[in-house]
Amino acid sequence: MGAQKSIHAGKAKIDVNVDLTHRLCASLMMPPFRSSGGPLSLIIGSLCLKHPNLFGGSEKLDVSWDKGLYDSNALIAYRRPRPEWLSQQSFVIQHSLTPEIGIHGTPMDNFSRSGSGGVNLSQFSVGLDLTEPANSNWSSTTSIRFKHVQPVNDDGRSISIDIDGFPVTYSGNSHDNMVVLKQESHYAKANDRSFVCVSFQIEQGIPLLSKWIIFNRLKFVASKGVKVGPTFLLTSLTGGSIVGDMAPYQAFAIGGLGSVRGYGEGSIGSGRSCLVANSELTIPLNKMMEGVLFLDCGTDLGSGRHVPGNPALRQGKPGSGLGLGYGLRFKSPCGHFQVDYAINSFQQRTVYFGISNLGS
């Protein structure tokens, strides 16, 4: 249900990937929250252009475009060669369009699904990324970017308030501007029986102009996996907090696949702070199939009321929740298939489908 093609034009390489499979999986997980835009809206795909020697000095140019059902992302990255012991520099231009379901979405069916709140984020950024040379088990990236964030409705028209009349930007206008200094650090260590992975992300809003957002946003993820007999136990803890100025779309959304299963995206809450714990036990059934038992929980630590406009309270989100369930993982030459069955604190059941690494 998909197609892949690589084209070589001189030294440049073009990768094209068109996939209809995710449309089927998404329709099984939740009904469309936006009217169809015609046949092209059914297609999920990507286009990637790579040139390894743009001006004859080993300069690299990467151009990529990814399209989902309701989101898209375009990226241009230009890299100049530098010695390996120096930071690698990339000049980046990026534009993305994403539905803001986690913050402004409406919980449905006992919080097991999230419907559109009519808010989408159109984000344009330009800046410089610096990747530090890997040091033992540590790696880090520093970036500074100018960001222009413009909320739009489901028809693509610029908006400044949500359906309840509350501002969706910090400025109260149709857009926010900011310069963000971002530091990401990753630590990973693994052996035959276990692994440990820790990542930190710090974002600092730089007030070059008086109306620009000044904030400090911290997020961390710590995970550990250990082999227990024939099974494998994976646990992780995710947390974050933001201080200073903030727009509603900068809040931490809790709930959904990748957060607390059994809930729709952001259906538990959205706050200035969050804490999410996940545990998953994988049991091999045969060479191609694994069974999974999981337990997820998350909370906004009572910070939902401190988000401008208090969208979580207006939508009746509980602020904390627990989900548990089981699933199956299938491995085949044409791809990896995942099915999860989860139940939340309100005894509402949800089924998640996933497909990845599809062949041509």
Side-chain angles (χ1 to χ4, degrees):
M1 301 184 69
Q4 296 177 343
K5 182 69 174 178
S6 293
I7 303 172
H8 293 269
K11 294 183 178 181
K13 180 183 178 183
I14 302 174
D15 294 324
V16 181
N17 178 29
V18 178
D19 183 14
L20 300 176
T21 309
H22 292 268
R23 174 68 179 185
L24 173 62
C25 296
S27 65
L28 292 172
M29 289 177 60
M30 63 180 182
F33 56 81
R34 188 183 304 173
S35 60
S36 174
L40 290 179
S41 66
L42 304 179
I43 298 176
I44 287 179
S46 62
L47 176 65
C48 183
L49 169 65
K50 295 179 179 291
H51 200 297
N53 192 18
L54 188 61
F55 299 117
S58 298
E59 301 90 349
K60 296 181 180 180
L61 176 68
D62 293 341
V63 180
S64 64
W65 176 69
D66 297 286
K67 179 188 177 299
L69 286 176
Y70 309 111
D71 60 342
S72 64
N73 183 69
L75 177 69
I76 301 175
Y78 171 73
R79 301 175 179 88
R80 297 184 61 185
R82 303 192 74 192
E84 293 183 359
W85 61 86
L86 295 178
S87 300
Q88 301 302 306
Q89 299 179 354
S90 301
F91 178 74
V92 179
I93 301 175
Q94 185 174 13
H95 178 267
S96 64
L97 178 64
T98 54
E100 190 53 38
I101 303 176
I103 309 301
H104 294 95
T106 304
M108 303 167 64
D109 296 340
N110 284 334
F111 302 94
S112 65
R113 296 188 295 119
S114 294
S116 172
V119 180
N120 306 271
L121 290 184
S122 174
Q123 301 188 67
F124 172 81
S125 66
V126 57
L128 185 67
D129 293 353
L130 300 175
T131 302
E132 300 291 337
N135 181 12
S136 183
N137 298 318
W138 285 95
S139 63
S140 65
T141 301
T142 303
S143 66
I144 183 166
R145 294 195 188 186
F146 166 79
K147 290 187 176 183
H148 176 85
V149 183
Q150 182 177 19
V152 297
N153 61 17
D154 291 342
D155 296 323
R157 298 178 181 177
S158 178
I159 58 175
S160 59
I161 58 176
D162 60 21
I163 57 176
D164 295 324
F166 288 84
V168 291
T169 61
Y170 167 75
S171 65
N173 299 321
S174 61
H175 65 271
D176 284 331
N177 291 325
M178 64 193 85
V179 171
V180 179
L181 178 65
K182 183 177 179 180
Q183 173 74 42
E184 294 181 273
S185 299
H186 302 274
Y187 172 84
K189 185 177 181 180
N191 56 40
D192 293 339
R193 297 192 59 84
S194 65
F195 78 87
V196 175
C197 183
V198 181
S199 65
F200 295 94
Q201 182 184 100
I202 301 175
E203 293 179 284
Q204 176 67 58
I206 302 176
L208 296 184
L209 295 179
S210 59
K211 294 184 179 180
W212 288 10
I213 304 178
I214 309 172
F215 66 92
N216 188 282
R217 193 176 194 266
L218 168 68
K219 182 179 179 180
F220 73 88
V221 180
S223 58
K224 180 177 178 61
V226 59
K227 193 172 183 180
V228 183
T231 67
F232 191 80
L233 178 63
L234 173 65
T235 59
S236 66
L237 183 66
T238 303
S241 186
I242 181 171
V243 296
D245 303 330
M246 73 172 294
Y249 55 78
Q250 293 179 300
F252 294 93
I254 309 161
L257 190 63
S259 177
V260 180
R261 284 163 285 190
Y263 291 84
E265 183 179 350
S267 288
I268 289 179
S270 53
R272 274 186 175 264
S273 302
C274 76
L275 196 62
V276 175
N278 310 95
S279 59
E280 186 170 289
L281 181 67
T282 302
I283 307 168
L285 302 177
N286 55 46
K287 292 183 178 180
M288 298 180 61
M289 185 184 303
E290 296 175 336
V292 173
L293 301 174
F294 59 84
L295 174 66
D296 305 329
C297 58
T299 174
D300 65 4
L301 300 173
S303 64
R305 64 182 183 276
H306 299 303
V307 176
N310 201 346
L313 177 64
R314 288 188 280 122
Q315 294 154 7
K317 297 181 180 181
S320 62
L322 181 146
L324 55 89
Y326 56 88
L328 291 174
R329 308 289 186 265
F330 304 91
K331 298 179 182 179
S332 71
C334 62
H336 293 179
F337 302 83
Q338 171 182 337
V339 180
D340 284 341
Y341 176 87
I343 183 171
N344 64 22
S345 302
F346 299 90
Q347 298 185 359
Q348 183 66 41
R349 297 163 176 81
T350 306
V351 179
Y352 299 96
F353 297 86
I355 301 177
S356 62
N357 299 327
L358 289 175
S360 55

